Amino acid sequence: MSIWCKKFRFTWIDGSLVECEKAQVHVLTHALHYGTGVFEGIRGYWNGENLYVFRLREHMERMLVSAKMIGFKLGYNVEQLVDATLEVIRANEFKENVYIRPIAFAGEGTISLDITSLPVRVAIAAFPFGHYLKPEGVRVKVVSWRRIPSFSLPISAKATGIYLNSVISLAEAKREGYDEALLLDWRGYISEGSGENVFIVRNGVIATPPVTASILEGITRDAVIKIARDLGYNVEERDITRDELYSASEAFMTGTAAEITPIVEVDGKTVGGGSPGPVTRRLQEEYRDIVMAKNEKYMKWLTPVY
Ligand code: PY5
């Protein structure tokens, strides 16, 4: 039995719900060999009364853009993917926080790199999920690998093959005793974490690398920029140097899985006081309230499941 089937009963695959044990692929699945897939990571929050999926539509829109960038035709529109997500959560009757993983991948048929004749398969899995990174703060290392530039791959696509760059970077950070990796872009400016965007706070101003610094344009990043501006903070999207990070008073990572995670140490140097700073904590609190449907103003970001 797959370890996943201890966590959930149904998966949505190619248009219908299937029992977890039947959610399998052949070893000659193209995506397994060549990284020919696009995916999303989405969270759903149970607030005691209902389960709310955070920015579901935006995630499915991004998945369709990712698909387009690598030349995939999914055969489903945003509405159908949104409905399928709700269907799979309801079928599993989840009443706790969940992580949702939609994936579209090149199926079986050839070992050639020409994917035009291959079926594109689409699956959506959902399972109970807690913290991804230590919520009290992570120690990060600027690794020796650079984030793949957008002149080598369409890195604004959330494509499976691109993640080998993240996997080896995280392995380097972990090997040296850190919690998470931080990658520079090809020019040497701060890009992002292995699976998170990065923010710093200097002189009371919040800054995050621009889209042109080889980042994945995170949906949490976008949410945090909006929330921070609504709270009256100045937020800059601009190139950030490595030493600005070292001298920042605060730093944090954002992502669906990571949510808002404080960075308390970079390359053995403490950030600020070595514990989460006031701006980070304020944003964490606000974010928590929003995803838990406790803030009317941002209800447009939530899709109720039940
Ligand atoms: N950058 C990278 C490389 C990412 O993989 C992610 C998301 C982000 C930034 C943040 O994007 P968003 O805010 O839209 O989630 N990573 C996935 C996630 O679910 C997978 C992590 C293993 O957070």
Side-chain angles (χ1 to χ4, degrees), residues 39-42 59 62 99-101 132 147 158 163 166 192-197 215-222 254-259:
F39 69 104
E40 274 302 321
I42 312 171
H59 279 283
R62 185 172 67 185
Y99 186 81
I100 303 148
R101 172 51 59 85
Y132 177 68
R147 169 82 172 152
K158 202 167 165 65
Y163 277 79
S166 293
E192 60 178 355
S194 68
E196 309 84 12
N197 293 113
I215 65 165
L216 178 78
E217 214 174 335
I219 290 167
T220 320
R221 172 185 180 275
D222 174 76
T254 67
T256 297
E259 303 175 293

Side-chain angles (χ1 to χ4, degrees), residues 113-304:
L113 298 176
D114 179 0
I115 60 169
T116 47
S117 65
L118 286 175
V120 175
R121 304 194 60 194
V122 183
I124 305 174
F127 44 87
F129 197 61
H131 293 297
Y132 177 68
L133 296 176
K134 289 182 202 159
E136 67 274 18
V138 287
R139 298 171 54 249
V140 305
K141 177 189 195 300
V142 176
V143 295
S144 59
W145 299 100
R146 296 282 172 99
R147 169 82 172 152
I148 296 173
S150 58
F151 46 74
S152 293
L153 278 172
I155 46 132
S156 50
K158 202 167 165 65
T160 61
I162 293 172
Y163 277 79
L164 198 49
N165 189 208
S166 293
V167 168
I168 59 169
S169 296
L170 180 58
E172 180 180 321
K174 290 261 177 178
R175 209 162 44 235
E176 297 187 23
Y178 291 89
D179 303 311
E180 183 52 290
L182 204 70
L183 287 84
L184 303 178
D185 71 5
W186 64 279
R187 302 166 305 167
Y189 289 99
I190 302 290
S191 180
E192 60 178 355
S194 68
E196 309 84 12
N197 293 113
V198 179
F199 287 75
I200 62 166
V201 183
R202 286 182 101 237
N203 308 317
V205 176
I206 300 171
T208 191
V211 177
T212 45
S214 305
I215 65 165
L216 178 78
E217 214 174 335
I219 290 167
T220 320
R221 172 185 180 275
D222 174 76
V224 166
I225 291 172
K226 291 194 170 107
I227 294 165
R229 286 187 179 147
D230 285 352
L231 287 173
Y233 292 107
N234 237 325
V235 185
E236 296 173 344
E237 291 179 66
R238 63 164 179 89
D239 283 325
I240 296 172
T241 60
R242 190 171 177 166
D243 55 317
E244 278 186 291
L245 181 64
Y246 290 158
S247 62
S249 56
E250 298 182 38
F252 57 90
M253 302 185 120
T254 67
T256 297
E259 303 175 293
I260 299 175
T261 299
I263 296 175
V264 293
E265 194 183 309
V266 181
D267 295 341
K269 293 171 251 296
T270 55
V271 176
S275 56
V279 178
T280 309
R281 283 209 306 268
R282 179 87 183 81
L283 290 168
Q284 278 181 305
E285 280 162 26
E286 192 78 359
Y287 189 75
R288 178 102 337 236
D289 279 355
I290 290 168
V291 299
M292 287 295 180
K294 288 184 187 149
N295 190 327
E296 271 305 316
K297 191 173 163 194
Y298 298 94
M299 284 303 281
K300 59 177 187 297
W301 282 348
L302 306 179
T303 306

